[in-house]
Amino acid sequence: MASADIHTSPQRVRETDASFTAAARIVRGTGSYPMERALAVVAQLGVLGGVLLGGIVLTALLTLYVHKAAGAVVFLLLCLGVAFLLMPAIDRRLWAMRAALTFLVTRQLLTGEAAPSERAAAAAQGFLRERFGDLGPVADAHNDVQRLVSKFFRSFDRLGEALPIDVEALRKALAWLIDRIAPRIADLALSFALARGAKDLTLASKDTVTYVAQNPKPLLGTAVRAYVMEKLIGGTVGFILMTLGFVVVGAIVRALTGDAVGASDIPAEGAAVVSAFAAVFAGLLIGAPLGALGSWFLRTALLEPIGLTMLLIRFHHCIEGQPVNAALRARIESVANDVGESGGLLGFLD
């Protein structure tokens, strides 16, 4: 795979259904990638959890047996290390997996070629390094597209002039939504560059945003739908896990503390209060992190790849045979070059 190219001419998109089911089928066709991604997420979660647990234990030991100042210094170093070293490293690892997915899905959509059954992510990353040198330029282009999308799609100037009402609340709601879906649109730039055989990610990124502006309803709509889907399913699963952990742990702790307190001299009413308080505290202590981690794992390992695939299907189907609008492309170029200028949300509807 590392020496193969995606670009073919003419191209036809092999999947036009951008539903959740169709996208999940495409993701399953990426060979060993789904399992590799799940293992990568678990590994990063394990590293983060191990560092935090080890740092907290070391902080407690130093505070109890050495000096409070020593414990405070270690805790400060732990926080700084996690924030500035560990989390960026985890982000880079997950970003590399995300770029690999974009390659694998784009290749499958445009050529129909199956992904390797082993080391699919490594093969994809090898191709990207061969094409772009390393993933640094890809990540930079991804960030540039996010900024360009935010600047171009956040302005309500034309709508504000047309309506006799204050649209500030609507402007803020749009800004929040655009910030949420901008990373998804940015993923399209790499896919577009791969599909067209381009090596200049800057130009490919601007063409990508132009195509999104030419097809706002299907592309932005699909991006929003994928985002809502991830949050809804992930949040539901997280709530179920949190509730389950709260109930099970709370019941166990209440039974244990009830027996222990009942054997003491505490009055029955006080024993019930102590038992209930301990059960609620332990249930929340275990249930809340369990729900949050379960939701994060599901969204990162499974739902995010499916959501990205939904958008990639819709994007390549929309732009198939469609030329770039030169006037709109010029406006996006102007927005990209002028930090203080916004293209306007409704300008591309003229």
Side-chain angles (χ1 to χ4, degrees):
M1 173 181 290
S3 61
D5 207 334
I6 292 177
H7 179 63
T8 58
S9 181
Q11 285 182 341
R12 290 193 60 82
V13 182
R14 297 173 180 269
E15 178 64 64
T16 60
D17 181 8
S19 66
F20 181 90
T21 303
R25 184 174 64 251
I26 294 293
V27 173
R28 286 198 302 270
T30 56
S32 59
Y33 178 85
M35 181 58 68
E36 293 173 8
R37 183 181 180 110
L39 293 176
V41 173
V42 171
Q44 305 310 312
L45 185 62
V47 170
L48 178 60
V51 169
L52 290 176
L53 180 61
I56 291 173
V57 170
L58 180 60
T59 299
L61 292 176
L62 290 175
T63 301
L64 292 174
Y65 298 106
V66 180
H67 196 278
K68 291 182 179 180
V73 170
V74 169
F75 185 76
L76 177 61
L77 293 177
L78 172 66
C79 294
L80 294 176
V82 168
F84 295 103
L85 295 177
L86 182 58
M87 291 307 299
I90 291 177
D91 286 341
R92 284 194 297 271
R93 170 61 173 162
L94 296 180
W95 159 250
M97 295 297 294
R98 185 169 174 168
L101 175 68
T102 301
F103 169 82
L104 293 170
V105 171
T106 303
R107 194 167 188 266
Q108 187 173 352
L109 286 175
L110 300 182
T111 69
E113 187 173 346
S117 58
E118 295 182 359
R119 296 181 56 81
Q125 292 170 23
F127 177 90
L128 294 174
R129 283 191 294 270
E130 179 183 306
R131 169 65 62 84
F132 302 110
D134 56 47
L135 292 182
V138 179
D140 291 340
H142 186 276
N143 294 330
D144 289 340
V145 174
Q146 291 189 66
R147 289 190 289 268
L148 180 57
V149 167
S150 295
K151 284 188 288 184
F152 186 80
F153 288 99
R154 287 174 67 154
S155 175
F156 256 91
D157 295 339
R158 288 178 178 265
L159 186 60
E161 295 172 359
L163 296 178
I165 60 175
D166 183 12
V167 295
E168 184 62 27
L170 191 58
R171 189 197 305 272
K172 291 180 179 179
L174 174 71
W176 181 88
L177 182 61
I178 290 299
D179 288 341
R180 304 286 84 73
I181 66 175
R184 301 169 189 277
I185 298 174
D187 289 323
L188 300 179
L190 175 60
S191 181
F192 178 79
L194 292 169
R196 299 299 171 92
K199 294 186 178 182
D200 190 333
L201 290 174
T202 301
L203 294 177
S205 298
K206 294 173 183 176
D207 286 340
T208 300
V209 179
T210 304
Y211 274 122
V212 173
Q214 290 177 212
N215 304 274
K217 184 176 179 180
L219 293 179
L220 295 179
T222 301
V224 172
R225 182 159 57 93
Y227 174 79
V228 172
M229 174 205 70
E230 289 181 29
K231 293 300 182 181
L232 182 61
I233 297 178
T236 300
V237 172
F239 178 77
I240 292 174
L241 291 176
M242 181 184 70
T243 303
L244 183 63
F246 176 82
V247 172
V248 172
V249 173
I252 294 174
V253 170
R254 183 165 188 175
L256 294 176
T257 56
D259 293 340
V261 174
S264 65
D265 296 332
I266 300 177
E269 293 81 1
V273 172
V274 171
S275 178
F277 178 80
V280 170
F281 179 78
L284 289 175
L285 188 63
I286 301 298
L290 178 65
L293 291 176
S295 176
W296 180 79
F297 174 80
L298 180 66
R299 288 185 286 108
T300 306
L302 178 62
L303 297 179
E304 182 183 284
I306 294 176
L308 173 57
T309 302
M310 291 169 60
L311 187 56
L312 287 171
I313 294 172
R314 183 72 74 200
F315 175 74
H316 286 289
H317 177 56
C318 284
I319 71 171
E320 188 174 11
Q322 184 181 90
V324 174
N325 185 313
L328 187 56
R329 176 65 167 75
R331 291 188 58 198
I332 290 174
E333 183 78 34
S334 175
V335 173
N337 294 333
D338 188 352
V339 176
E341 180 181 346
S342 177
L345 173 70
L346 301 182
F348 54 79
L349 299 179
D350 290 343

